[in-house]
Amino acid sequence: MAPRDQREPSLALRAAAVLVGLSLALGGCAHVKTLSPGEALTPQERLEAIRRAEVWSHTDIRSLDLKAGPDAAGAFAPNESVTCEYREKEPSGHSPKFACETSPGHEVKVKYGPRNAEVFGEVLSTRLFWALGFPADRMYPVRVRCHGCPKDPSHSPEMAGKVVVFDPAAIERKLPGRAMESKGDSGWKWSELGEIGPESPSGARAQRDGLKLLAAFVQHTDSKAANQRLLCPEGQEVGRTGCRRPVLMVNDLGLTFGHAGLLNKNKDSVDLSTWAQVPVWKDAARCVAELSGSLTGSLSNPKISEAGRAFLAGLLAQLTDAQLRDLFESARVKRRSSEPSGDPAKDGPPARVDAWVTAFKLKRAQIVDQRCPE
């Protein structure tokens, strides 16, 4: 055994590393909104909503344009140049982002930067979820001309002229509706998908298992409760807290398409070299999906039913090669290294769309060709 004076620095360093990692992982929880008594659900009301909530609705997959994305109010064309006025606000989380007004009273959240995995990953994942029928916020890949912006809003107040161009950037449009919460940013844990009541939609268990498998497929690492939302879609509200057709959705899919890990690292997401090598199944014989748990996550290595596997397989199989190319081209993966690192000088070469499509199809085959125990 090493002498005491040799062992203590090592223990201290390990403890410091854990604390730093926990601080980083918890960063996304820094902003917690408050709810008035009239807006908050009781625990029982929340549970009843979860038990009957939808996680999926039918889409005509083959007819969808994955390059253009959802054609909804406030949509932007691929790589559209968007002009806006900077609004100084304290952002949540650690990924580079800022608030901007495209017109008076119309504020958008802009994620930016070629080394910000969420600029690419959130476009990829939200567009894939949307195409398959799983509700997700809308992310549009754009170029932003910001009036009054600092050169790097998330890291420094230093100015660089009247207008700063952010390219690549992505603008978020929230799925319309009202968050259903018992407290601010409460969201839902993945274990709560097991709460299925008699009023749940037909096929609810298979659809919920399909959602778990899709989360593993894209390696959704930052799965803390606040990154999932219990939503009452627009037009389904009943009074201040009631809802005819509540929805369970994932509302932050930025750290995806890499390898899930303990600390939710930016460099481990939208990483072709890693994502291509991560198997879909941790234990194929028992249909346990591969998804390493993070310090703050609520989903790890989910066990999938045959009905859930078959459900997702049937959806994924409908995506054409052209749609897959559009998916990766719209996310501008060619501007992301195929092997990102913490040091730009050590990054791998730019990723290729064809390589991403090939990796997607090989991983899809692991789901389509698998059979799970009944």
Side-chain angles (χ1 to χ4, degrees), residues 215-277:
F217 179 80
V218 301
Q219 288 293 288
H220 172 47
T221 182
D222 196 6
S223 60
K224 56 179 172 281
N227 281 349
Q228 286 83 236
R229 189 159 82 245
L230 175 60
L231 179 75
C232 185
E234 192 172 61
Q236 296 298 320
E237 303 94 338
V238 178
R240 296 191 67 177
T241 60
C243 187
R244 283 183 287 272
R245 296 178 61 184
V247 164
L248 290 166
M249 61 175 289
V250 185
N251 69 275
D252 191 333
L253 285 161
L255 296 181
T256 48
F257 281 88
H259 188 187
L262 196 65
L263 300 181
N264 302 328
K265 294 181 179 179
N266 177 86
K267 72 179 184 64
D268 293 335
S269 298
V270 195
D271 179 349
L272 174 59
S273 63
T274 298
W275 188 68
Q277 295 176 33

Short mmCIF file of all heavy atoms in Angstrom, two decimals, residues 215-277:
data_model
loop_
_atom_site.label_atom_id
_atom_site.label_comp_id
_atom_site.label_asym_id
_atom_site.label_seq_id
_atom_site.Cartn_x
_atom_site.Cartn_y
_atom_site.Cartn_z
N ALA A 215 -34.51 6.82 -27.79
CA ALA A 215 -33.59 7.61 -26.97
C ALA A 215 -32.22 6.94 -26.90
O ALA A 215 -31.18 7.60 -26.96
CB ALA A 215 -34.16 7.80 -25.57
N ALA A 216 -32.22 5.61 -26.80
CA ALA A 216 -30.96 4.88 -26.80
C ALA A 216 -30.30 4.92 -28.18
O ALA A 216 -29.08 5.04 -28.30
CB ALA A 216 -31.19 3.43 -26.36
N PHE A 217 -31.10 4.81 -29.21
CA PHE A 217 -30.59 4.84 -30.58
C PHE A 217 -29.82 6.12 -30.86
O PHE A 217 -28.73 6.09 -31.43
CB PHE A 217 -31.76 4.70 -31.56
CG PHE A 217 -31.38 4.73 -33.02
CD1 PHE A 217 -30.87 3.61 -33.64
CD2 PHE A 217 -31.55 5.89 -33.77
CE1 PHE A 217 -30.52 3.63 -35.00
CE2 PHE A 217 -31.21 5.93 -35.11
CZ PHE A 217 -30.69 4.79 -35.72
N VAL A 218 -30.36 7.26 -30.43
CA VAL A 218 -29.67 8.54 -30.66
C VAL A 218 -28.69 8.88 -29.55
O VAL A 218 -28.02 9.91 -29.60
CB VAL A 218 -30.67 9.70 -30.85
CG1 VAL A 218 -31.61 9.44 -32.01
CG2 VAL A 218 -31.45 10.01 -29.57
N GLN A 219 -28.62 8.01 -28.52
CA GLN A 219 -27.73 8.24 -27.37
C GLN A 219 -28.05 9.57 -26.67
O GLN A 219 -27.19 10.43 -26.50
CB GLN A 219 -26.27 8.17 -27.80
CG GLN A 219 -25.79 6.77 -28.13
CD GLN A 219 -25.74 5.85 -26.92
OE1 GLN A 219 -24.89 6.00 -26.06
NE2 GLN A 219 -26.66 4.89 -26.87
N HIS A 220 -29.30 9.69 -26.26
CA HIS A 220 -29.77 10.85 -25.51
C HIS A 220 -29.19 10.78 -24.10
O HIS A 220 -29.71 10.07 -23.24
CB HIS A 220 -31.30 10.84 -25.48
CG HIS A 220 -31.93 11.86 -24.58
ND1 HIS A 220 -31.54 13.19 -24.57
CD2 HIS A 220 -32.94 11.76 -23.66
CE1 HIS A 220 -32.28 13.85 -23.68
NE2 HIS A 220 -33.13 13.00 -23.11
N THR A 221 -28.13 11.53 -23.87
CA THR A 221 -27.40 11.39 -22.60
C THR A 221 -27.93 12.28 -21.49
O THR A 221 -27.93 11.89 -20.33
CB THR A 221 -25.89 11.66 -22.82
OG1 THR A 221 -25.19 11.47 -21.59
CG2 THR A 221 -25.62 13.07 -23.33
N ASP A 222 -28.43 13.48 -21.81
CA ASP A 222 -28.83 14.43 -20.78
C ASP A 222 -30.31 14.24 -20.46
O ASP A 222 -31.15 15.09 -20.78
CB ASP A 222 -28.54 15.86 -21.24
CG ASP A 222 -28.56 16.85 -20.09
OD1 ASP A 222 -28.68 16.42 -18.93
OD2 ASP A 222 -28.44 18.07 -20.36
N SER A 223 -30.63 13.13 -19.81
CA SER A 223 -32.03 12.71 -19.65
C SER A 223 -32.61 13.06 -18.29
O SER A 223 -33.49 12.36 -17.79
CB SER A 223 -32.15 11.20 -19.89
OG SER A 223 -31.36 10.48 -18.95
N LYS A 224 -32.14 14.14 -17.68
CA LYS A 224 -32.73 14.56 -16.41
C LYS A 224 -34.18 14.97 -16.63
O LYS A 224 -34.60 15.31 -17.75
CB LYS A 224 -31.93 15.71 -15.80
CG LYS A 224 -31.75 16.94 -16.67
CD LYS A 224 -30.95 18.00 -15.92
CE LYS A 224 -30.57 19.17 -16.82
NZ LYS A 224 -29.42 18.85 -17.68
N ALA A 225 -34.96 14.94 -15.55
CA ALA A 225 -36.40 15.16 -15.66
C ALA A 225 -36.74 16.49 -16.32
O ALA A 225 -37.70 16.58 -17.10
CB ALA A 225 -37.03 15.09 -14.27
N ALA A 226 -35.96 17.54 -16.05
CA ALA A 226 -36.26 18.86 -16.62
C ALA A 226 -36.12 18.88 -18.13
O ALA A 226 -36.62 19.81 -18.78
CB ALA A 226 -35.34 19.91 -15.99
N ASN A 227 -35.46 17.89 -18.71
CA ASN A 227 -35.30 17.83 -20.16
C ASN A 227 -36.40 17.03 -20.85
O ASN A 227 -36.33 16.75 -22.04
CB ASN A 227 -33.93 17.25 -20.53
CG ASN A 227 -32.83 18.27 -20.39
OD1 ASN A 227 -33.10 19.45 -20.22
ND2 ASN A 227 -31.59 17.83 -20.46
N GLN A 228 -37.41 16.63 -20.08
CA GLN A 228 -38.63 16.05 -20.63
C GLN A 228 -39.80 16.91 -20.18
O GLN A 228 -39.75 17.50 -19.11
CB GLN A 228 -38.83 14.60 -20.16
CG GLN A 228 -37.90 13.60 -20.81
CD GLN A 228 -36.54 13.52 -20.14
OE1 GLN A 228 -35.51 13.71 -20.79
NE2 GLN A 228 -36.50 13.26 -18.84
N ARG A 229 -40.83 16.98 -21.00
CA ARG A 229 -41.93 17.89 -20.69
C ARG A 229 -43.28 17.17 -20.80
O ARG A 229 -43.53 16.46 -21.78
CB ARG A 229 -41.88 19.08 -21.65
CG ARG A 229 -42.84 20.21 -21.29
CD ARG A 229 -42.40 21.53 -21.92
NE ARG A 229 -42.78 21.70 -23.31
CZ ARG A 229 -41.93 21.79 -24.33
NH1 ARG A 229 -40.63 21.68 -24.12
NH2 ARG A 229 -42.36 21.97 -25.57
N LEU A 230 -44.11 17.35 -19.79
CA LEU A 230 -45.51 16.94 -19.84
C LEU A 230 -46.26 18.15 -20.37
O LEU A 230 -46.32 19.19 -19.71
CB LEU A 230 -45.99 16.52 -18.45
CG LEU A 230 -47.48 16.17 -18.31
CD1 LEU A 230 -47.87 15.02 -19.21
CD2 LEU A 230 -47.81 15.84 -16.85
N LEU A 231 -46.82 18.01 -21.56
CA LEU A 231 -47.38 19.15 -22.28
C LEU A 231 -48.85 18.96 -22.56
O LEU A 231 -49.29 17.87 -22.94
CB LEU A 231 -46.63 19.33 -23.61
CG LEU A 231 -47.09 20.47 -24.52
CD1 LEU A 231 -46.60 21.81 -23.97
CD2 LEU A 231 -46.59 20.27 -25.95
N CYS A 232 -49.61 20.04 -22.39
CA CYS A 232 -50.98 20.07 -22.89
C CYS A 232 -50.93 20.82 -24.21
O CYS A 232 -50.72 22.04 -24.23
CB CYS A 232 -51.91 20.77 -21.92
SG CYS A 232 -53.65 20.70 -22.46
N PRO A 233 -51.08 20.13 -25.36
CA PRO A 233 -50.97 20.80 -26.65
C PRO A 233 -51.99 21.91 -26.82
O PRO A 233 -53.08 21.88 -26.23
CB PRO A 233 -51.22 19.66 -27.66
CG PRO A 233 -50.91 18.41 -26.91
CD PRO A 233 -51.32 18.69 -25.50
N GLU A 234 -51.63 22.88 -27.61
CA GLU A 234 -52.51 24.01 -27.88
C GLU A 234 -53.86 23.51 -28.40
O GLU A 234 -53.94 22.68 -29.30
CB GLU A 234 -51.85 24.92 -28.92
CG GLU A 234 -52.51 26.26 -29.08
CD GLU A 234 -51.68 27.16 -29.97
OE1 GLU A 234 -51.47 26.80 -31.14
OE2 GLU A 234 -51.23 28.22 -29.49
N GLY A 235 -54.94 24.02 -27.78
CA GLY A 235 -56.28 23.62 -28.18
C GLY A 235 -56.85 22.48 -27.36
O GLY A 235 -58.04 22.14 -27.50
N GLN A 236 -56.02 21.86 -26.50
CA GLN A 236 -56.48 20.74 -25.69
C GLN A 236 -56.69 21.13 -24.23
O GLN A 236 -57.03 20.29 -23.39
CB GLN A 236 -55.46 19.59 -25.77
CG GLN A 236 -55.30 19.00 -27.14
CD GLN A 236 -56.58 18.38 -27.66
OE1 GLN A 236 -57.32 17.73 -26.92
NE2 GLN A 236 -56.87 18.59 -28.94
N GLU A 237 -56.48 22.42 -23.90
CA GLU A 237 -56.58 22.87 -22.51
C GLU A 237 -58.02 22.83 -22.00
O GLU A 237 -58.97 23.11 -22.74
CB GLU A 237 -56.05 24.31 -22.37
CG GLU A 237 -54.61 24.49 -22.85
CD GLU A 237 -54.51 24.94 -24.30
OE1 GLU A 237 -55.50 24.70 -25.06
OE2 GLU A 237 -53.50 25.52 -24.67
N VAL A 238 -58.15 22.47 -20.72
CA VAL A 238 -59.44 22.52 -20.02
C VAL A 238 -59.20 23.30 -18.74
O VAL A 238 -58.51 22.82 -17.82
CB VAL A 238 -59.97 21.12 -19.69
CG1 VAL A 238 -61.28 21.23 -18.92
CG2 VAL A 238 -60.16 20.29 -20.96
N GLY A 239 -59.71 24.51 -18.67
CA GLY A 239 -59.44 25.35 -17.51
C GLY A 239 -57.97 25.71 -17.42
O GLY A 239 -57.25 25.74 -18.42
N ARG A 240 -57.48 25.96 -16.21
CA ARG A 240 -56.11 26.41 -16.03
C ARG A 240 -55.12 25.27 -15.93
O ARG A 240 -53.95 25.44 -16.20
CB ARG A 240 -56.01 27.29 -14.78
CG ARG A 240 -56.81 28.58 -14.89
CD ARG A 240 -56.49 29.54 -13.77
NE ARG A 240 -55.12 30.04 -13.87
CZ ARG A 240 -54.60 30.94 -13.05
NH1 ARG A 240 -55.33 31.43 -12.06
NH2 ARG A 240 -53.36 31.35 -13.19
N THR A 241 -55.58 24.08 -15.53
CA THR A 241 -54.64 22.97 -15.36
C THR A 241 -55.07 21.69 -16.07
O THR A 241 -54.27 20.79 -16.24
CB THR A 241 -54.44 22.64 -13.86
OG1 THR A 241 -55.70 22.28 -13.29
CG2 THR A 241 -53.85 23.83 -13.11
N GLY A 242 -56.33 21.61 -16.50
CA GLY A 242 -56.82 20.38 -17.12
C GLY A 242 -56.39 20.25 -18.58
O GLY A 242 -55.99 21.22 -19.23
N CYS A 243 -56.49 19.02 -19.11
CA CYS A 243 -56.07 18.77 -20.50
C CYS A 243 -56.76 17.53 -21.03
O CYS A 243 -56.79 16.49 -20.37
CB CYS A 243 -54.55 18.58 -20.55
SG CYS A 243 -53.89 18.45 -22.23
N ARG A 244 -57.32 17.65 -22.23
CA ARG A 244 -58.00 16.51 -22.83
C ARG A 244 -57.01 15.44 -23.30
O ARG A 244 -57.24 14.25 -23.08
CB ARG A 244 -58.86 16.99 -24.01
CG ARG A 244 -60.16 17.65 -23.60
CD ARG A 244 -60.99 18.04 -24.80
NE ARG A 244 -60.41 19.20 -25.48
CZ ARG A 244 -60.69 20.47 -25.17
NH1 ARG A 244 -61.56 20.73 -24.20
NH2 ARG A 244 -60.14 21.47 -25.82
N ARG A 245 -55.92 15.87 -23.94
CA ARG A 245 -54.97 14.88 -24.51
C ARG A 245 -53.54 15.31 -24.18
O ARG A 245 -52.83 15.87 -25.02
CB ARG A 245 -55.16 14.78 -26.02
CG ARG A 245 -56.52 14.25 -26.45
CD ARG A 245 -56.66 14.22 -27.97
NE ARG A 245 -55.67 13.33 -28.58
CZ ARG A 245 -55.55 13.19 -29.91
NH1 ARG A 245 -56.31 13.89 -30.73
NH2 ARG A 245 -54.65 12.36 -30.41
N PRO A 246 -53.07 15.04 -22.96
CA PRO A 246 -51.71 15.41 -22.59
C PRO A 246 -50.68 14.60 -23.38
O PRO A 246 -50.96 13.51 -23.88
CB PRO A 246 -51.63 15.09 -21.10
CG PRO A 246 -52.73 14.10 -20.85
CD PRO A 246 -53.80 14.40 -21.85
N VAL A 247 -49.49 15.17 -23.47
CA VAL A 247 -48.41 14.57 -24.26
C VAL A 247 -47.14 14.51 -23.41
O VAL A 247 -46.81 15.46 -22.68
CB VAL A 247 -48.14 15.42 -25.53
CG1 VAL A 247 -46.79 15.08 -26.15
CG2 VAL A 247 -49.26 15.21 -26.54
N LEU A 248 -46.43 13.40 -23.49
CA LEU A 248 -45.11 13.26 -22.88
C LEU A 248 -44.08 13.40 -24.00
O LEU A 248 -44.13 12.65 -24.98
CB LEU A 248 -44.96 11.90 -22.20
CG LEU A 248 -45.77 11.68 -20.92
CD1 LEU A 248 -45.80 10.21 -20.56
CD2 LEU A 248 -45.19 12.49 -19.77
N MET A 249 -43.17 14.35 -23.85
CA MET A 249 -42.21 14.61 -24.91
C MET A 249 -40.83 14.86 -24.33
O MET A 249 -40.67 15.16 -23.15
CB MET A 249 -42.64 15.82 -25.74
CG MET A 249 -42.73 17.10 -24.94
SD MET A 249 -43.11 18.56 -25.95
CE MET A 249 -41.56 18.77 -26.84
N VAL A 250 -39.81 14.74 -25.19
CA VAL A 250 -38.44 15.11 -24.82
C VAL A 250 -38.20 16.51 -25.35
O VAL A 250 -38.40 16.77 -26.54
CB VAL A 250 -37.42 14.13 -25.43
CG1 VAL A 250 -36.02 14.45 -24.93
CG2 VAL A 250 -37.78 12.69 -25.08
N ASN A 251 -37.79 17.45 -24.48
CA ASN A 251 -37.69 18.83 -24.94
C ASN A 251 -36.25 19.34 -25.03
O ASN A 251 -36.04 20.50 -25.34
CB ASN A 251 -38.52 19.77 -24.05
CG ASN A 251 -37.96 19.93 -22.66
OD1 ASN A 251 -38.26 19.12 -21.79
ND2 ASN A 251 -37.16 20.95 -22.43
N ASP A 252 -35.26 18.51 -24.77
CA ASP A 252 -33.87 18.92 -24.98
C ASP A 252 -33.09 17.73 -25.52
O ASP A 252 -32.75 16.81 -24.78
CB ASP A 252 -33.24 19.43 -23.68
CG ASP A 252 -31.90 20.12 -23.91
OD1 ASP A 252 -31.23 19.78 -24.91
OD2 ASP A 252 -31.52 20.99 -23.11
N LEU A 253 -32.82 17.77 -26.81
CA LEU A 253 -32.17 16.65 -27.49
C LEU A 253 -30.84 17.06 -28.10
O LEU A 253 -30.40 16.50 -29.09
CB LEU A 253 -33.10 16.11 -28.59
CG LEU A 253 -34.28 15.27 -28.09
CD1 LEU A 253 -35.37 15.19 -29.15
CD2 LEU A 253 -33.82 13.86 -27.71
N GLY A 254 -30.19 18.06 -27.49
CA GLY A 254 -28.95 18.57 -28.07
C GLY A 254 -27.77 17.63 -27.95
O GLY A 254 -26.97 17.50 -28.89
N LEU A 255 -27.63 16.96 -26.81
CA LEU A 255 -26.48 16.08 -26.60
C LEU A 255 -26.85 14.66 -27.01
O LEU A 255 -27.20 13.80 -26.19
CB LEU A 255 -26.02 16.15 -25.14
CG LEU A 255 -25.50 17.52 -24.69
CD1 LEU A 255 -25.05 17.49 -23.25
CD2 LEU A 255 -24.36 18.00 -25.59
N THR A 256 -26.77 14.43 -28.30
CA THR A 256 -27.18 13.16 -28.90
C THR A 256 -26.21 12.80 -30.04
O THR A 256 -25.31 13.55 -30.36
CB THR A 256 -28.61 13.26 -29.46
OG1 THR A 256 -28.72 14.46 -30.25
CG2 THR A 256 -29.65 13.32 -28.35
N PHE A 257 -26.44 11.65 -30.65
CA PHE A 257 -25.66 11.17 -31.79
C PHE A 257 -24.16 11.11 -31.47
O PHE A 257 -23.32 11.52 -32.26
CB PHE A 257 -25.92 12.02 -33.03
CG PHE A 257 -27.22 11.66 -33.71
CD1 PHE A 257 -28.41 12.27 -33.33
CD2 PHE A 257 -27.25 10.70 -34.70
CE1 PHE A 257 -29.62 11.92 -33.93
CE2 PHE A 257 -28.45 10.35 -35.32
CZ PHE A 257 -29.63 10.96 -34.94
N GLY A 258 -23.86 10.59 -30.30
CA GLY A 258 -22.48 10.34 -29.90
C GLY A 258 -22.47 9.14 -28.98
O GLY A 258 -22.95 8.07 -29.34
N HIS A 259 -21.97 9.33 -27.78
CA HIS A 259 -21.94 8.26 -26.78
C HIS A 259 -22.35 8.84 -25.44
O HIS A 259 -21.69 9.75 -24.92
CB HIS A 259 -20.54 7.65 -26.67
CG HIS A 259 -20.50 6.42 -25.81
ND1 HIS A 259 -19.34 5.78 -25.46
CD2 HIS A 259 -21.50 5.70 -25.23
CE1 HIS A 259 -19.62 4.74 -24.70
NE2 HIS A 259 -20.93 4.67 -24.55
N ALA A 260 -23.46 8.36 -24.89
CA ALA A 260 -23.91 8.82 -23.59
C ALA A 260 -22.85 8.52 -22.55
O ALA A 260 -22.16 7.50 -22.62
CB ALA A 260 -25.23 8.14 -23.21
N GLY A 261 -22.71 9.41 -21.57
CA GLY A 261 -21.70 9.21 -20.55
C GLY A 261 -22.04 9.90 -19.26
O GLY A 261 -23.04 10.62 -19.15
N LEU A 262 -21.19 9.73 -18.28
CA LEU A 262 -21.42 10.21 -16.93
C LEU A 262 -21.61 11.72 -16.86
O LEU A 262 -22.45 12.23 -16.13
CB LEU A 262 -20.24 9.79 -16.04
CG LEU A 262 -20.44 9.86 -14.53
CD1 LEU A 262 -21.50 8.87 -14.08
CD2 LEU A 262 -19.13 9.59 -13.82
N LEU A 263 -20.83 12.48 -17.66
CA LEU A 263 -20.78 13.93 -17.50
C LEU A 263 -21.42 14.72 -18.64
O LEU A 263 -21.28 15.94 -18.70
CB LEU A 263 -19.33 14.38 -17.33
CG LEU A 263 -18.58 13.79 -16.13
CD1 LEU A 263 -17.17 14.34 -16.06
CD2 LEU A 263 -19.32 14.08 -14.83
N ASN A 264 -22.12 14.07 -19.58
CA ASN A 264 -22.82 14.80 -20.65
C ASN A 264 -21.90 15.78 -21.37
O ASN A 264 -22.18 16.97 -21.47
CB ASN A 264 -24.03 15.56 -20.09
CG ASN A 264 -25.02 14.67 -19.38
OD1 ASN A 264 -25.19 13.51 -19.75
ND2 ASN A 264 -25.67 15.18 -18.36
N LYS A 265 -20.80 15.29 -21.91
CA LYS A 265 -19.81 16.17 -22.51
C LYS A 265 -20.18 16.55 -23.94
O LYS A 265 -20.61 15.72 -24.74
CB LYS A 265 -18.44 15.49 -22.51
CG LYS A 265 -17.86 15.28 -21.12
CD LYS A 265 -16.49 14.62 -21.20
CE LYS A 265 -15.88 14.43 -19.83
NZ LYS A 265 -14.55 13.77 -19.91
N ASN A 266 -19.97 17.82 -24.27
CA ASN A 266 -20.20 18.33 -25.61
C ASN A 266 -19.41 17.54 -26.65
O ASN A 266 -19.91 17.19 -27.72
CB ASN A 266 -19.83 19.81 -25.67
CG ASN A 266 -19.98 20.41 -27.05
OD1 ASN A 266 -21.05 20.86 -27.42
ND2 ASN A 266 -18.90 20.44 -27.81
N LYS A 267 -18.15 17.24 -26.35
CA LYS A 267 -17.29 16.59 -27.34
C LYS A 267 -17.71 15.15 -27.62
O LYS A 267 -17.29 14.57 -28.64
CB LYS A 267 -15.83 16.61 -26.87
CG LYS A 267 -15.48 15.69 -25.73
CD LYS A 267 -14.01 15.77 -25.38
CE LYS A 267 -13.62 14.78 -24.29
NZ LYS A 267 -13.81 13.37 -24.73
N ASP A 268 -18.54 14.57 -26.75
CA ASP A 268 -18.99 13.19 -26.96
C ASP A 268 -20.27 13.10 -27.76
O ASP A 268 -20.79 12.00 -27.98
CB ASP A 268 -19.19 12.49 -25.61
CG ASP A 268 -17.88 12.30 -24.85
OD1 ASP A 268 -16.82 12.25 -25.51
OD2 ASP A 268 -17.92 12.19 -23.61
N SER A 269 -20.82 14.25 -28.18
CA SER A 269 -22.07 14.27 -28.93
C SER A 269 -21.83 14.70 -30.38
O SER A 269 -20.86 15.40 -30.67
CB SER A 269 -23.07 15.22 -28.26
OG SER A 269 -23.37 14.77 -26.95
N VAL A 270 -22.73 14.24 -31.27
CA VAL A 270 -22.56 14.45 -32.72
C VAL A 270 -21.12 14.09 -33.09
O VAL A 270 -20.37 14.86 -33.67
CB VAL A 270 -22.92 15.88 -33.15
CG1 VAL A 270 -23.10 15.96 -34.67
CG2 VAL A 270 -24.19 16.38 -32.48
N ASP A 271 -20.76 12.88 -32.71
CA ASP A 271 -19.42 12.32 -32.92
C ASP A 271 -19.59 11.05 -33.74
O ASP A 271 -19.95 9.99 -33.22
CB ASP A 271 -18.78 12.03 -31.56
CG ASP A 271 -17.39 11.41 -31.67
OD1 ASP A 271 -17.00 11.02 -32.78
OD2 ASP A 271 -16.71 11.30 -30.63
N LEU A 272 -19.36 11.16 -35.03
CA LEU A 272 -19.59 10.03 -35.94
C LEU A 272 -18.76 8.81 -35.57
O LEU A 272 -19.26 7.69 -35.54
CB LEU A 272 -19.30 10.45 -37.38
CG LEU A 272 -19.36 9.33 -38.44
CD1 LEU A 272 -20.72 8.68 -38.47
CD2 LEU A 272 -18.99 9.89 -39.81
N SER A 273 -17.49 9.02 -35.27
CA SER A 273 -16.61 7.89 -34.99
C SER A 273 -17.10 7.10 -33.78
O SER A 273 -16.99 5.87 -33.74
CB SER A 273 -15.18 8.37 -34.76
OG SER A 273 -15.10 9.20 -33.61
N THR A 274 -17.65 7.80 -32.79
CA THR A 274 -18.14 7.12 -31.58
C THR A 274 -19.52 6.54 -31.79
O THR A 274 -19.78 5.38 -31.46
CB THR A 274 -18.17 8.11 -30.40
OG1 THR A 274 -16.85 8.58 -30.15
CG2 THR A 274 -18.70 7.46 -29.15
N TRP A 275 -20.45 7.34 -32.35
CA TRP A 275 -21.83 6.88 -32.50
C TRP A 275 -21.91 5.62 -33.36
O TRP A 275 -22.67 4.71 -33.07
CB TRP A 275 -22.69 7.98 -33.11
CG TRP A 275 -24.15 7.67 -33.13
CD1 TRP A 275 -24.99 7.54 -32.06
CD2 TRP A 275 -24.96 7.43 -34.29
NE1 TRP A 275 -26.28 7.25 -32.48
CE2 TRP A 275 -26.28 7.17 -33.83
CE3 TRP A 275 -24.71 7.41 -35.66
CZ2 TRP A 275 -27.34 6.90 -34.71
CZ3 TRP A 275 -25.77 7.15 -36.52
CH2 TRP A 275 -27.07 6.89 -36.05
N ALA A 276 -21.09 5.58 -34.40
CA ALA A 276 -21.11 4.41 -35.29
C ALA A 276 -20.69 3.13 -34.58
O ALA A 276 -21.10 2.03 -34.97
CB ALA A 276 -20.19 4.67 -36.49
N GLN A 277 -19.89 3.27 -33.53
CA GLN A 277 -19.36 2.09 -32.84
C GLN A 277 -20.20 1.67 -31.64
O GLN A 277 -20.04 0.54 -31.15
CB GLN A 277 -17.93 2.38 -32.38
CG GLN A 277 -16.95 2.58 -33.52
CD GLN A 277 -15.56 2.95 -33.02
OE1 GLN A 277 -15.13 2.52 -31.96
NE2 GLN A 277 -14.85 3.78 -33.79
#
